[in-house]
Amino acid sequence: MTASHTTRHLYVAAMLLMLAATSSGCRWNSMGQNSMGVRLYEQGRYNEALQQFQSAQAADPSDPDSYYNLASTYHKLGIGQKDAKMIEQSEALYNQCLDLQPNHVDCHRGLAVLLVESGRKDSALKLLNNWSTTNPGLSDAKVELARLNQELGQTQLAERYLDEALAMNPQDPRAWNARGQLREASGDLGQALQNYQQSLALNSLQGDLYQRIASLNVKIAQNTAAGITQNTGAWTAQNPQPGTASPPRY
């Protein structure tokens, strides 16, 4: 290999390293700005959060989370202020997020809620049904269909979707969490507690779920003291005990 070839290869390698470092730096900047934006959002400082999310988007235009964070903030402001332009902007950003990451769970959830809140329930259901149809083995899509149907008062349909989600992936903590919410809403506190505990066993990084379990334990204790019998919710073929296989079907 000649000196000129060696120099040229080193130059190309150096350029590739520089590009990788630049890309990595952009991603780190974007992550930091998104994290700061989330903290501001949680404090109710929405305009400041928007500035951070916009900076994150500019630092890394390929990061779907930046689009989701912007969409979520405009969603919050648009619905709260009944601002049609903000709602429209939120919807566009949700769709940009999904263009970059078609299976972005939070983005599907956010867009579906936005559609319902802006009077387009059928469009919300169509969005999630299309997602589920396109990804027939994805339990996340079934969980979101269940959550939306529960919120729309279709509890039996929500149960069916959760059955399908857990049949696809019995280790899905979001599905167990959603099932717990269904059980709690129906007054079956004992079963809800078991479902929440199963979700937490699969994913311990659910801070709000610890609080929900603590609150549920208090309710159960109060009911017990008052002599109210708890329905513990026996395990069934549709609601198998965690860690055991469903019975075969003939």
Side-chain angles (χ1 to χ4, degrees):
M1 182 179 292
T2 65
S4 61
H5 274 93
T6 302
T7 302
R8 185 161 59 250
H9 279 281
L10 287 174
Y11 174 75
V12 171
M15 286 297 294
L16 290 173
L17 285 171
M18 287 173 63
L19 287 171
T22 301
S23 175
S24 177
C26 289
R27 178 53 60 92
W28 278 110
N29 287 339
S30 176
M31 288 173 62
Q33 289 156 339
N34 272 318
S35 296
M36 176 61 74
V38 169
R39 287 195 291 271
L40 291 166
Y41 182 98
E42 290 172 345
Q43 296 168 15
R45 298 160 64 181
Y46 302 119
N47 289 327
E48 293 172 77
L50 276 177
Q51 292 175 3
Q52 291 295 322
F53 296 145
Q54 286 164 348
S55 296
Q57 181 192 37
D60 185 4
S62 66
D63 181 5
D65 289 338
S66 297
Y67 293 87
Y68 167 75
N69 288 335
L70 280 168
S72 184
T73 309
Y74 279 117
H75 181 169
K76 178 77 173 179
L77 292 171
I79 294 297
Q81 299 174 15
K82 298 181 180 179
D83 188 317
K85 287 186 177 179
M86 283 189 175
I87 292 172
E88 183 178 346
Q89 192 164 6
S90 172
E91 184 175 349
L93 286 160
Y94 278 135
N95 281 309
Q96 285 178 281
C97 170
L98 291 176
D99 287 340
L100 290 168
Q101 188 173 329
N103 288 328
H104 197 292
V105 176
D106 289 334
C107 196
H108 273 98
R109 167 69 179 172
L111 180 53
V113 171
L114 179 71
L115 291 170
V116 170
E117 290 177 339
S118 55
R120 292 172 286 170
K121 178 186 73 174
D122 290 344
S123 295
L125 290 168
K126 182 179 179 181
L127 169 76
L128 296 183
N129 274 307
N130 286 345
W131 182 31
S132 179
T133 301
T134 305
N135 300 272
L138 186 66
S139 61
D140 285 327
K142 297 293 185 183
V143 172
E144 291 310 322
L145 274 167
R147 292 178 69 187
L148 185 61
N149 276 282
Q150 181 187 3
E151 289 158 4
L152 295 174
Q154 301 294 325
T155 54
Q156 289 187 342
L157 195 52
E159 285 275 11
R160 193 193 85 190
Y161 284 127
L162 286 178
D163 286 343
E164 293 175 3
L166 287 167
M168 292 175 185
N169 182 10
Q171 305 302 311
D172 186 341
R174 297 178 65 256
W176 286 109
N177 191 338
R179 169 150 275 164
Q181 292 180 41
L182 266 177
R183 293 289 183 261
E184 185 176 1
S186 71
D188 190 351
L189 304 188
Q191 184 62 67
L193 181 61
Q194 291 184 52
N195 293 156
Y196 289 146
Q197 289 170 335
Q198 174 66 6
S199 177
L200 206 55
L202 292 167
N203 177 12
S204 61
L205 302 177
Q206 301 182 78
D208 57 335
L209 197 50
Y210 287 99
Q211 296 176 3
R212 187 180 285 270
I213 288 173
S215 175
L216 200 55
N217 274 318
V218 171
K219 288 182 183 178
I220 291 173
Q222 290 173 340
N223 288 348
T224 301
I228 300 173
T229 303
Q230 294 295 325
N231 179 0
T232 58
W235 300 106
T236 66
Q238 288 72 36
N239 184 24
Q241 184 174 5
T244 62
S246 299
R249 295 183 181 182
Y250 297 95

